[in-house]
Amino acid sequence: MTDSDPELTVRLAKRLAQTLPCSRREAELYIEGGYVSVDGQVVEEAGARVGPDQTVALAPDSLLQEVAPVTILLHKPAGYSAGVDGGGKPALCCLSQDALSAPEHGRQRFLKRHLTGLTLTNPLDTRASGMLIFTQDFRVTRKLVDVADVEQEFIVEVAGTIGQDGLALLKHGLPFNGKPLAPIKVSWQNETKLRFALRSVQPAQIEHMCRMVGLTVLAIKRLRIGRISMAALPPGQWRYLQEYERF
């Protein structure tokens, strides 16, 4: 960060605590919250070294609070890997500050630490697109991974002619991996697209079900997990889960 003599530099937290003044822990909280800049650049590392000739400033809107864990909603484009197989680039590559959806700027202060220590809650086939959830919050992990009983909604584009009683079989009566599937909600959205709403969906399950009734899957898109919808989030962009939103 600085070309100053290493013997003259100090930890940023120490420098800020002396400047304000405040306790060292309070200084660390300001820094971790993204409220402190060095020579005009935000620095989030309390242990960063700064020299005596560098300008350290605290943002006027700073808040003294612990950095809360975040949950991220990503519209995964088809072709990105998301926990099912190794094909394509990891969907995590889509998570950058530039890809943060424009309406979300200003509601949540972006921090580099928001993109670390993330858990992918609901895997998605590489060829599929749609909603992914990444979280740092153990409560979200417990609900979506440990319990894993929230409903998910998919739009599936298909080709071919559905067999006799095919729609009824999709709703109930088909096996997967040698076990009968629980009843699910399936309906036609239009002539080529089916809507699936189901719980505990397994990788390749929807393609298998469609194949058993004579249909070939052309595309799969996940629209919703629990009560949270992807809505108008553009492909390749992401947003934060808001405090009032619940799965």
Side-chain angles (χ1 to χ4, degrees), residues 230-241:
M230 190 170 60
L233 189 65
Q237 294 195 16
W238 62 277
R239 71 173 181 87
Y240 291 105
L241 183 75

Side-chain angles (χ1 to χ4, degrees), residues 11-152:
R11 292 179 77 252
L12 178 57
K14 180 178 180 180
R15 171 77 174 274
L16 185 66
Q18 294 171 340
T19 302
L20 287 182
C22 65
S23 72
R24 192 75 60 86
R25 180 53 186 155
E26 289 172 335
E28 291 174 350
L29 289 176
Y30 283 131
I31 296 165
E32 292 168 1
Y35 295 111
V36 177
S37 63
V38 178
D39 293 339
Q41 299 294 319
V42 173
V43 177
E44 298 178 30
E45 297 78 28
R49 309 294 294 187
V50 294
D53 57 338
Q54 293 186 284
T55 301
V56 175
L58 181 67
D61 61 344
S62 60
L63 297 174
L64 193 59
Q65 59 187 23
E66 296 277 356
V67 177
V70 299
T71 296
I72 286 171
L73 283 60
L74 168 67
H75 184 166
K76 181 186 90 70
Y80 282 80
S81 175
V84 175
D85 54 58
K89 294 181 179 180
L92 274 170
C93 294
C94 296
L95 301 184
S96 66
Q97 185 174 7
D98 292 339
L100 177 58
S101 184
E104 294 302 312
H105 286 290
R107 297 188 187 182
Q108 167 75 55
R109 177 180 292 268
F110 172 81
L111 300 174
K112 291 184 291 183
R113 69 184 63 242
H114 289 163
L115 304 185
T116 63
L118 292 166
T119 296
L120 171 64
T121 62
N122 303 88
L124 191 62
D125 290 338
T126 297
R127 61 177 295 198
S129 65
M131 177 186 269
L132 284 184
I133 305 296
F134 293 96
T135 189
Q136 299 171 330
D137 193 331
F138 76 92
R139 296 167 299 180
V140 175
T141 300
R142 183 171 57 204
K143 184 173 183 64
L144 298 184
V145 179
D146 298 342
V147 178
D149 194 38
V150 299
E151 186 176 80
Q152 301 180 45

Side-chain angles (χ1 to χ4, degrees), residues 1 34 66 98 103 126 150 153 156 194 220:
M1 173 183 293
E66 296 277 356
D98 292 339
T126 297
V150 299
E153 182 179 350
V156 182
L194 286 163
I220 298 177

